[in-house]
Amino acid sequence: MRIGELSRASGVPVPTIKYYLREGLLHPGELTSATQARYGEDHLERLGLIRALAEGAGLPLARVRTVLEAVDRPPSSPLELLASVTEVPGEDDLDRSEAVALLQRLGWDDVDPRSSSVLALARALRSMSEAGFAVEPEHLLALGRAMGSVAEIEVAGVPLDDPAAAARYVVLGTALVGPVLLALRQVGHVHASLQRLGG
Amino acid sequence: MRIGELSRASGVPVPTIKYYLREGLLHPGELTSATQARYGEDHLERLGLIRALAEGAGLPLARVRTVLEAVDRPPSSPLELLASVTEVPGEDDLDRSEAVALLQRLGWDDVDPRSSSVLALARALRSMSEAGFAVEPEHLLALGRAMGSVAEIEVAGVPLDDPAAAARYVVLGTALVGPVLLALRQVGHVHASLQRLGG
DNA sequence: TAGATTGGATACCTGCGCTCTCCAATAGTG
DNA sequence: CACTATTGGAGAGCGCAGGTATCCAATCTA
């Protein structure tokens, strides 16, 4: 497959493919001469993946790159893998006490309070309070339990036998299932409103 | 309060406040002369709200504006309200059959299949399949049930007696609780991984 | 052999979210 | 009352992200 064909097959414009090549998101094709390269099915798949992560999951290209790198060269431990997808740099000096207290009540105290996921939680809680929006603690706890069961379902689906497949599952799942969850929640809002308020 | 004071109190630079004023995110202060205006506590609150929605929830300013408009002038029906926060324009011609089938199995068939929330779900599912990522139907169903209980908890918290408070709750909750849910899911991933794989 | 296509490099463009600059009209201060 | 700092308002500019467009010489295809 040459670049034009790849473009037609994927629906991605040639200049954009060239851009992705430059950015290292897409591996270069096999050069057959100075001005000719050959692309394969894997490039087509990869393009679909890039578009799904960027457009679908709304990840910035820099994050897409780290996700793809994690898929290509999976870190040894699953936790490292998770970190590679979710880690977002930011201020480290932030009051995590509310987050930690919540984790305590959820019985998740095996999680390192200094991990980036706890940081993300602390940040999200702070944003709420800064907006002058409060959720009752028992509601928050219930939300935590619901999301815990979501996480359990997802982790249960990880194929442990094949490390490469596991990496792919964790990385893509984390990024791509998120929007599905939020959409399900939205539909759930509509359903619950209809139930509570009547048509 | 004059603009400099508002800036100091909120931590938002004066030019940025002026920008928000120009963009209509922040209501103009009460003019006391041609070159002097007075701002109140409400402006300070509003600024916190804008920052929380923009930085915290990651909404683009255009969406922040529609959210704020919905808070200011609440649409009559709660469903309309929900739509004003979540609606994202996009292609309408999209295969919703998988989404609809899922809703059927969840028992949510009171939801209009043409609503924007179902569209969002269909889009998210398509992104997954375009990335070559599949979730087993029963897992998807379980995720749907979990998110349904999330939605139920949230809707149960809406104060029905005061329409203005209800609007505020729905609009802000939808935008601000999302990141909290995703963060809880992340922490849940870590916890579940530790449980399943051991330290 | 002529026209189209390609790899590769560079320049350019668009949208977003600010940030800077200016100005004339005040407001506060001594 | 003079004088400095601050303000409202408007316009231009800037830095980043994510592409597009242009050029070129080499090569493929007809």
Side-chain angles (χ1 to χ4, degrees):
Chain A
M1 219 178 339
R2 292 184 317 178
I3 203 172
E5 221 171 332
L6 182 59
S7 166
R8 248 165 285 126
S10 64
V12 178
V14 172
T16 302
I17 296 180
K18 287 185 172 187
Y19 172 65
Y20 289 161
L21 286 167
R22 277 203 302 280
E23 292 295 304
L25 298 176
L26 200 57
H27 296 136
E30 188 189 346
L31 273 180
T32 62
S33 81
T35 66
Q36 225 69 19
R38 199 146 298 284
Y39 303 92
E41 278 304 309
D42 47 335
H43 288 93
L44 192 53
E45 263 177 49
R46 184 77 159 213
L47 262 180
L49 196 47
I50 295 171
R51 303 303 293 205
L53 289 170
E55 276 188 28
L59 299 188
L61 291 193
R63 279 278 285 295
V64 172
R65 180 170 28 240
T66 72
V67 169
L68 291 176
E69 277 166 7
V71 170
D72 283 344
R73 181 185 29 73
S76 43
S77 110
L79 287 183
E80 249 179 88
L81 205 53
L82 278 173
S84 79
V85 195
T86 55
E87 197 135 346
V88 176
E91 73 280 65
D92 227 16
D93 55 336
L94 177 57
D95 180 25
R96 306 182 186 203
S97 56
E98 194 187 349
V100 169
L102 179 55
L103 299 191
Q104 201 96 32
R105 292 191 62 190
L106 283 166
W108 296 358
D109 21 27
D110 52 350
V111 177
D112 183 353
R114 303 173 319 157
S115 75
S116 67
S117 57
V118 176
L119 178 62
L121 179 57
R123 267 208 284 256
L125 291 173
R126 188 192 48 182
S127 285
M128 283 206 320
S129 71
E130 273 177 0
F133 186 83
V135 172
E136 302 189 21
E138 63 264 40
H139 279 184
L140 204 48
L141 194 63
L143 293 177
R145 273 195 279 265
M147 295 317 291
S149 75
V150 164
E152 231 173 83
I153 294 161
E154 294 186 274
V155 169
V158 176
L160 283 188
D161 45 340
D162 179 353
R168 189 185 159 81
Y169 186 96
V170 167
V171 168
L172 296 188
T174 303
L176 293 169
V177 174
V180 173
L181 295 175
L182 291 180
L184 282 167
R185 169 180 173 239
Q186 256 184 59
V187 181
H189 281 156
V190 175
H191 173 67
S193 299
L194 290 172
Q195 291 293 306
R196 180 162 180 218
L197 311 167
Chain B
M1 223 182 332
R2 294 185 316 178
I3 203 172
E5 221 172 330
L6 182 60
S7 166
R8 248 164 287 126
S10 63
V12 178
V14 171
T16 303
I17 296 179
K18 287 185 171 186
Y19 171 67
Y20 289 162
L21 286 167
R22 278 204 300 280
E23 292 296 304
L25 298 175
L26 200 57
H27 296 137
E30 190 190 344
L31 273 180
T32 62
S33 80
T35 66
Q36 225 69 18
R38 199 145 296 285
Y39 303 91
E41 277 305 307
D42 46 335
H43 288 93
L44 191 53
E45 263 177 49
R46 184 75 159 215
L47 262 179
L49 196 47
I50 293 171
R51 303 303 292 207
L53 290 171
E55 275 187 30
L59 300 188
L61 291 191
R63 279 278 283 298
V64 172
R65 181 171 27 242
T66 71
V67 169
L68 291 176
E69 276 166 8
V71 170
D72 284 344
R73 180 188 26 73
S76 42
S77 111
L79 288 184
E80 248 178 87
L81 204 53
L82 277 173
S84 80
V85 196
T86 55
E87 198 136 347
V88 175
E91 74 281 61
D92 227 15
D93 55 337
L94 175 57
D95 180 25
R96 305 182 187 209
S97 56
E98 193 187 349
V100 170
L102 178 56
L103 299 190
Q104 201 95 30
R105 293 190 63 192
L106 283 166
W108 295 358
D109 21 27
D110 52 351
V111 177
D112 184 352
R114 302 174 318 159
S115 75
S116 66
S117 57
V118 177
L119 179 60
L121 180 57
R123 267 208 284 256
L125 290 174
R126 188 192 47 180
S127 286
M128 282 208 319
S129 71
E130 274 177 358
F133 186 83
V135 172
E136 301 189 21
E138 64 263 42
H139 280 184
L140 204 50
L141 193 63
L143 292 177
R145 274 196 278 263
M147 294 317 289
S149 76
V150 164
E152 231 171 82
I153 294 162
E154 294 186 274
V155 168
V158 177
L160 283 187
D161 45 341
D162 179 354
R168 189 185 158 82
Y169 187 96
V170 167
V171 168
L172 296 188
T174 303
L176 292 169
V177 175
V180 173
L181 295 176
L182 292 181
L184 282 168
R185 168 179 174 241
Q186 258 183 58
V187 181
H189 281 157
V190 174
H191 173 67
S193 299
L194 289 173
Q195 289 293 307
R196 182 164 180 217
L197 311 167

